[in-house]
Amino acid sequence: MAEKHIGKQTVVLNNPPSIKATASIVGPKEGKGDLKRDFDYILPDELWGEDSWEKAESKLVRETFSKLLQNAGISNDKIDYILAGDLLNQCIAANYGLRDTNVPFFGLYGACSTMAESMSLGSMLVGGGFADNVVCLTSSHFCSAEKQFRFPLELGNQRTPTSQWTVTGSGAVLLSAEGTGPYIKHITTGKINDLGVTDINNMGAAMAPAAADTILTHFADTGLVPEYYDLIVTGDLGKVGKQLCLDILKMNGLNIEAMYNDCGVMIYKLEEQDAHAGGSGCGCSATVFAGHIYKEIMKGNLKRVLFIATGALMSPISLQQKESIPGIAHAVSIHRSID
Amino acid sequence: MAEKHIGKQTVVLNNPPSIKATASIVGPKEGKGDLKRDFDYILPDELWGEDSWEKAESKLVRETFSKLLQNAGISNDKIDYILAGDLLNQCIAANYGLRDTNVPFFGLYGACSTMAESMSLGSMLVGGGFADNVVCLTSSHFCSAEKQFRFPLELGNQRTPTSQWTVTGSGAVLLSAEGTGPYIKHITTGKINDLGVTDINNMGAAMAPAAADTILTHFADTGLVPEYYDLIVTGDLGKVGKQLCLDILKMNGLNIEAMYNDCGVMIYKLEEQDAHAGGSGCGCSATVFAGHIYKEIMKGNLKRVLFIATGALMSPISLQQKESIPGIAHAVSIHRSID
């Protein structure tokens, strides 16, 4: 095994990058949830002056990137790489939203795991000495996602209680070789998990096994205990998937209930906002991390966080062809200071 | 700038990874071109026993991964990461084709630039000491691509002379910290370029500016001259894009005509096989590199190669919404020995 690899799937960064700044922009519904004060900007409406939802999502990406540079006080020519992707076919939100940045670009597709995937790869590029500054970014948009994955919004379809609400939002993180933290120290990279779930209206169930697998592997690889972290937070399992994840972990002898939460549960007032099982989409974990969690770490309210973004890797065509839904989950640990 | 960064966009690997093995599987049409003896396996037909083109493409990915492990004499538990992606919506060829590998997985979307993108990121993971063995893989399939990007095959639409033929094929590369070469030494990562081309039947024109930009940047960053390489090869510009790329380079004072070729031109007998402007798709540069070029390097016929895979980052929806086609190109240099 390479020297920085511990256990099966985890890297420990000897030169941990700092998260120098974050940025987050969300839609109107997300702007009415409990985390509303933590976002940089709340859209007045889902179109934001554009003539299509896809263009609105590209604008989200473009403006979140700009806001990140502004928050960090850095110009685009100091950024070595952007790592970004989204849910849209051929990742057009990222490709069009970032086409004018003039920065070397690596496109990713990790579905809703993209925020942790980009932070994992970005941390290794910085930690390996290949980059000084890397931007990690992702987005999702309720309307473009419904149109692409489910039904035309105009149909006004009813939603099942297990269904989740795709977050309209974009989150971005600047990783830097220089800085005073918070630091990314561990990277536990997920494998594709497929337990045969086929219900497109229950993505939490499809992703929970992958999340549990990555969490179990993280603790097995590092020898750490859950109490080491103030917060263990999954990306977008929602309340159904969150409970399943806890159950799978308990069956495997790991109890994380005391410090566990899920970004999909945190972002909305589930009952009051009619958000069913909770938030989903790449933008869910991205905005909750870049908006809320990062600020809590900076305030000193959280010292160590294990952030696990979760993705469902199907497509409408794979479901029409009777395939099940593979899941994946990538984890990174974020530390206020290096201990 | 980070110590391993030279110039604007180029990394030099102090611990260059070896390409320990490659694998390539292609479709029947590709199996009748000039490179047919260099591929590991030629499909009997486009469906290969599956009941959909998407499943056939997943099988291509699955079998190419297996063939790579077999060619390298390595088992899946020795692979630290797979970096892979494809053209299908939500990258289902890679996601389903690799779901049973039990290997940590990073999904990429670089359109037809994916082979060089995966080799760039993989080289930095190995070169940075984060991995011993990384698999880089991509695929495309003529029928699944036509269905998704253009017209139903059953329509039998005529094709314009500038149109390209999506390669049915998958190529994979094993990068390793140990080995005796060929080595990856330079990585020049592309920026998104959009000069306003909107013709979906002339992708070579959309990607040529990105290819030229990355080639110019590579020589500016490294201070090398084209004669340093025996072969400078772009991914899938086809004969129209190849000429445009040469023209743009000449306008900028760089003449690479003597050692330049394009995988899209190499893979078919263009006239005889009715392949119009040439091959395209992620599988084009992937199979030409993993099949032909790698073997020429191993035979000693090529000592230094600059491999530039080129991608067009649009989607059918972005074109319907009157957007132009952004392009990107990533370059890696491959050296038979370290000089």
Side-chain angles (χ1 to χ4, degrees), chain A residues 4 96 99 107 117 128 194, chain B residues 4 96 99 107 117 128 194 324:
Chain A
K4 293 158 191 171
Y96 285 89
R99 68 177 151 176
E117 183 189 2
D194 190 338
Chain B
K4 292 159 190 169
Y96 285 89
R99 68 177 152 176
E117 183 188 3
D194 191 337
S324 51

Side-chain angles (χ1 to χ4, degrees), chain B residues 149-160:
Chain B
F149 286 108
R150 294 178 187 90
F151 295 101
L153 277 183
E154 295 82 351
L155 271 179
N157 273 59
Q158 281 192 303
R159 302 164 67 80
T160 67

Side-chain angles (χ1 to χ4, degrees), chain A residues 1-5 8-14 51-55 58 77 80-81 83-84 87-92 94-96 98-110 116-117 120-121 123-125 127-132 147-149 187 189-194 313-319 321-326 328 330, chain B residues 1-5 8-14 51-55 58 77 80-81 83-84 87-92 94-96 98-110 116-117 120-121 123-125 127-132 147-149 187 189-194 313-319 321-326 328 330:
Chain A
M1 274 296 183
E3 52 170 334
K4 293 158 191 171
H5 230 96
K8 278 163 56 190
Q9 293 166 229
T10 302
V11 154
V12 181
L13 292 155
N14 298 328
D51 59 9
S52 78
W53 295 318
E54 291 80 9
K55 288 184 184 176
S58 279
D77 61 324
D80 298 311
Y81 300 105
L83 295 161
L87 287 172
L88 295 182
N89 297 345
Q90 290 73 55
C91 296
I92 53 170
N95 293 342
Y96 285 89
L98 298 166
R99 68 177 151 176
D100 297 322
T101 57
N102 207 32
V103 175
F105 174 77
F106 288 121
L108 306 181
Y109 186 79
E117 183 189 2
S120 299
L121 284 167
S123 294
M124 292 193 269
L125 297 190
F130 303 111
D132 287 333
K147 168 181 166 185
Q148 180 178 284
F149 287 108
I187 302 164
T189 304
K191 302 175 299 191
I192 304 174
N193 267 262
D194 190 338
L313 299 176
M314 82 298 160
S315 80
I317 283 182
S318 71
L319 294 177
Q321 296 183 359
K322 312 290 182 201
E323 287 279 14
S324 52
I325 303 174
I328 197 161
H330 300 300
Chain B
M1 275 295 186
E3 51 170 336
K4 292 159 190 169
H5 230 97
K8 278 164 57 190
Q9 293 165 231
T10 302
V11 153
V12 181
L13 292 153
N14 298 328
D51 60 8
S52 76
W53 295 318
E54 292 80 9
K55 288 184 185 177
S58 280
D77 61 325
D80 299 310
Y81 299 105
L83 296 160
L87 285 172
L88 295 182
N89 297 345
Q90 290 72 57
C91 297
I92 53 170
N95 294 340
Y96 285 89
L98 298 165
R99 68 177 152 176
D100 297 323
T101 57
N102 207 32
V103 175
F105 174 78
F106 287 121
L108 307 181
Y109 187 78
E117 183 188 3
S120 300
L121 285 166
S123 295
M124 290 193 269
L125 298 190
F130 302 112
D132 286 333
K147 169 182 167 185
Q148 180 179 282
F149 286 108
I187 301 164
T189 304
K191 303 176 298 192
I192 303 173
N193 267 262
D194 191 337
L313 300 174
M314 82 300 161
S315 80
I317 284 183
S318 71
L319 294 178
Q321 296 183 0
K322 312 291 181 201
E323 285 280 14
S324 51
I325 303 174
I328 197 161
H330 300 301

Side-chain angles (χ1 to χ4, degrees), chain B residues 130-143:
Chain B
F130 302 112
D132 286 333
N133 295 296
V134 172
V135 169
C136 306
L137 184 150
T138 186
S139 70
S140 54
H141 191 294
F142 174 73
C143 305

Side-chain angles (χ1 to χ4, degrees), chain A residues 152-170:
Chain A
L153 277 183
E154 294 82 351
L155 271 179
N157 274 59
Q158 280 192 304
R159 301 163 68 81
T160 68
T162 57
S163 71
Q164 293 176 243
W165 192 278
T166 304
V167 164
T168 297
S170 174

